[in-house]
């Protein structure tokens, strides 16, 4: 019976959310391709400056998470994402027109500021449409925009850089965001009561069930009280360490692959896409079984541990066996993405609705700080050591820490009773 609750939500809301987040995710990963594809030489970017530029996005992302999440939660997620898409598309396209490092610094930082609102706003929007038993799957379809985007972007970026250069890659990949903003505004509704395409009984059934789920959650007066919660604090640190591993991997995978002997940019693009095929399958499977069992914990920490072990094995292997190392990186990439749906479902299930927006913003903000640290340190270590072994160790240790924190903070169904 519950599986048939307003089924139109899945094919009306989810595709729009998926495409929107896919477009918003492009600028995080395509910078790594631009660096590997000639941008560094054209703009005289040193290796240390390249690391800073790659990570500056996440610094802007860090500072504006909580205000964006608060606005989305108390005003309108729909409006905030509409504005963000237009500004993001313009800034992403402008990256292809820069002539010096200074303007690139400003654009990378502002991209992070503009996009900081998108992820928490999307999660809040989905929490207003999907119940607890559906939320991990709904979140996963949103976050699938991440690996799916990197999958097709990796291949497309390789071809665009090879045929047109890195400048046109940015322009071509930035423009669709502006167009899509108007489609988003036309197609999306803030909550079920706004949807003309749902029957009155369906609207009432969804909203009654969502309100009933809030009854069992311990009240929290305000953000200050929520931010003092041990669970929220530990989830912040967990997500920081996890994000350090994810974006150390995403930002620098093209450079790692491109460094192999006789490797061209097109082949780099194809090989960079492979880990995300595994990630898509892992995310769909984990979210399905997580919702079915309502056991979030067991679908988070084992995958973070697998990624940690894979990076450590790549470190032990060294640089002499490229294809074995590449296989380990594929496993690490797939495992890194698999737990996202269950993880974000946990946050909306342990806090009341009035503070969940701020908590999501805080956790995502601290995660962005981890992304900044990861993308900067991995790039710095790669450049200063002339190899990738040190960055593998860094990501392995960070993910081991994230594994331990997950085990500590996320309760199994038996512990929650």
């Amino acid at each position: 019976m519950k599986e048939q609750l307003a089924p139109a939500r899945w094919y009306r809301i989810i595709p729009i959310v998926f495409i929107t987040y896919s477009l918003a995710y492009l600028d995080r990963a395509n910078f790594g391709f631009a660096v590997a594809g000639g941008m560094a030489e054209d703009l005289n970017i040193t290796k240390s400056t390249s690391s800073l530029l790659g990570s500056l996005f996440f610094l802007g992302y860090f500072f504006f998470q909580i205000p964006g999440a608060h606005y989305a939660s108390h005003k309108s997620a729909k409006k905030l994402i509409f504005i963000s898409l237009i500004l993001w598309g313009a800034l992403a396209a402008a990256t292809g027109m820069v002539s010096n490092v200074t303007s690139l610094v400003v654009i990378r930082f502002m991209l992070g500021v503009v996009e900081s609102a998108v992820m928490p706003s999307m999660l809040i929007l989905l929490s207003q449409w999907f119940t607890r038993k559906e939320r991990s799957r709904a979140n996963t379809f949103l976050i699938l925009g991440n690996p799916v985007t990197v999958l097709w972007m990796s291949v497309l970026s390789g071809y665009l850089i090879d045929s047109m250069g890195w400048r046109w890659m940015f322009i071509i990949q930035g423009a669709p965001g502006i167009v899509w903003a108007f489609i988003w505004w036309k197609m999306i509704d803030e909550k079920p009561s706004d949807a003309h395409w749902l029957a009155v009984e369906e609207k009432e059934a969804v909203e009654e069930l969502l309100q009933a789920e809030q009854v069992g959650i311990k009240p929290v007066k305000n953000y200050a009280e929520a931010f003092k919660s041990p669970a929220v604090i530990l989830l912040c640190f967990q997500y920081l360490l996890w994000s350090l591993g994810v974006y150390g991997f995403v930002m620098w995978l093209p450079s790692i692959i491109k460094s192999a002997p006789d490797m061209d940019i097109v082949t780099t693009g194809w090989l960079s896409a492979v880990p995300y095929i595994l990630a898509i399958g892992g995310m769909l499977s984990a979210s399905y079984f997580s919702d079915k069992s309502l056991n979030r914990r067991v679908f988070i920490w084992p995958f973070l541990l697998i990624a940690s072990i894979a990076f450590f094995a790549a470190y032990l292997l060294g640089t002499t066996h490229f294809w074995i190392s590449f296989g380990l990186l594929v496993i690490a990439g797939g495992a890194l993405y698999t737990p996202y749906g269950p993880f974000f479902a946990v946050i909306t299930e342990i806090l009341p609705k009035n503070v969940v927006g701020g908590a999501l913003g805080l956790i995502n903000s601290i995660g962005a700080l981890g992304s900044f640290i990861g993308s900067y340190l991995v790039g710095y270590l790669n450049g200063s050591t002339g190899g990738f072994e040190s960055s593998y160790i860094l990501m392995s240790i960070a993910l081991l820490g994230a594994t331990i924190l997950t085990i500590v903070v996320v309760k199994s169904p038996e512990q929650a009773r």
Side-chain angles (χ1 to χ4, degrees):
M1 183 72 179
K2 288 180 183 177
E3 289 295 328
Q4 298 173 357
L5 180 69
R9 294 170 303 150
W10 291 96
Y11 58 79
R12 178 63 184 249
I13 298 295
I14 293 297
I16 300 297
V17 162
F18 171 80
I19 293 170
T20 303
Y21 190 60
S22 293
L23 289 172
Y25 193 81
L26 264 176
D27 61 275
R28 299 192 205 185
N30 63 7
F31 182 80
F33 274 92
V35 171
M39 180 190 230
E41 291 83 358
D42 290 351
L43 297 180
N44 297 315
I45 301 172
T46 64
K47 287 186 177 179
S48 59
T49 306
S50 178
S51 300
L52 177 63
L53 286 166
S55 56
L56 261 177
F57 171 93
F58 300 105
L59 200 58
Y61 201 80
F62 167 72
F63 283 117
F64 291 88
Q65 283 282 316
I66 296 173
H70 179 81
Y71 183 91
S73 184
H74 292 82
K75 300 282 187 180
S76 172
K78 174 181 176 177
K79 186 183 294 184
L80 190 58
I81 292 169
F82 171 74
I83 295 167
S84 296
L85 275 169
I86 293 174
L87 293 175
W88 166 80
L91 286 165
T95 310
M97 306 173 195
V98 296
S99 57
N100 56 68
V101 174
T102 304
S103 56
L104 193 55
V105 165
V106 174
I107 288 173
R108 290 298 296 173
F109 180 78
M110 288 307 301
L111 268 170
V113 171
V114 168
E115 203 192 307
S116 64
V118 175
M119 180 65 164
S121 299
M122 287 289 198
L123 290 167
I124 289 162
L125 186 81
L126 290 177
S127 73
Q128 294 169 174
W129 276 98
F130 295 94
T131 67
R132 186 171 179 237
K133 283 185 173 288
E134 304 166 322
R135 206 159 289 151
S136 181
R137 279 170 291 163
N139 290 346
T140 291
F141 280 117
L142 162 67
I143 301 163
L144 266 177
N146 176 326
V148 170
T149 299
V150 182
L151 175 64
W152 63 259
M153 183 277 300
S154 297
V155 177
L156 178 63
S157 295
Y159 279 110
L160 285 174
I161 291 172
D162 187 55
S163 59
M164 304 174 75
W166 61 268
R167 291 185 181 278
W168 277 104
M169 179 200 72
F170 280 119
I171 294 167
I172 290 169
Q173 292 180 351
I178 301 170
V179 176
W180 184 258
F182 296 92
I183 298 172
W184 162 268
W185 186 258
K186 178 73 175 171
M187 297 294 291
I188 209 73
D189 292 295
E190 196 82 39
K191 52 189 182 294
S193 59
D194 298 335
H196 67 275
W197 42 270
L198 281 181
V200 175
E201 315 84 68
E202 290 180 310
K203 297 179 188 181
E204 291 174 352
V206 174
E207 295 202 333
E208 282 173 15
L209 192 49
L210 289 170
Q211 287 168 10
E213 288 178 350
Q214 288 288 307
V215 172
I217 300 176
K218 184 180 176 183
V220 175
K221 284 189 232 174
N222 50 42
Y223 286 154
E225 189 176 333
F227 292 172
K228 290 176 187 173
S229 160
V232 172
I233 293 167
L234 289 174
L235 284 173
C236 284
F237 282 109
Q238 188 267 14
Y239 199 45
L240 182 147
L241 293 171
W242 181 5
S243 298
L244 190 158
V246 170
Y247 287 100
F249 175 83
V250 170
M251 291 296 294
W252 300 107
L253 180 64
S255 295
I256 291 171
I257 294 173
K258 183 72 164 55
S259 68
D262 304 318
M263 186 67 65
D264 60 68
I265 194 67
V266 173
T267 308
T268 297
W270 279 102
L271 291 178
S272 296
V274 176
Y276 303 102
I277 298 172
L278 184 62
I280 292 164
M283 289 177 74
L284 289 171
S285 302
S287 65
Y288 174 80
F289 289 109
S290 170
D291 276 350
K292 204 167 181 62
S293 64
L294 289 181
N295 186 340
R296 309 303 187 194
R297 184 190 202 201
V298 76
F299 294 100
I300 303 173
W301 74 262
F303 294 99
L304 299 179
L305 182 59
I306 289 169
S308 175
I309 293 169
F311 280 126
F312 186 68
Y315 159 74
L316 292 176
L317 197 63
T319 57
T320 53
H321 302 86
F322 172 78
W323 289 108
I324 301 174
S325 294
F326 176 70
L328 289 168
L329 292 177
V330 169
I331 292 168
L336 280 171
Y337 279 95
T338 294
Y340 271 116
F343 175 78
F344 282 109
V346 166
I347 302 167
T348 57
E349 290 167 5
I350 64 174
L351 290 169
K353 193 174 181 180
N354 68 308
V355 295
V356 75
L360 276 170
L362 178 67
I363 292 167
N364 217 34
S365 178
I366 300 301
L369 188 60
S371 305
F372 171 79
I373 295 167
S375 54
Y376 178 77
L377 279 183
V378 169
Y380 174 79
L381 289 171
N382 292 347
S384 61
T385 64
F388 307 109
E389 291 85 353
S390 298
S391 57
Y392 292 155
I393 279 286
L394 172 69
M395 291 187 281
S396 178
I397 292 171
L399 291 164
L400 181 60
T403 302
I404 294 167
L405 285 173
T406 303
I407 293 170
V408 170
V409 73
V410 181
K411 292 180 170 63
S412 66
E414 293 76 22
Q415 292 172 313
R417 289 191 191 110

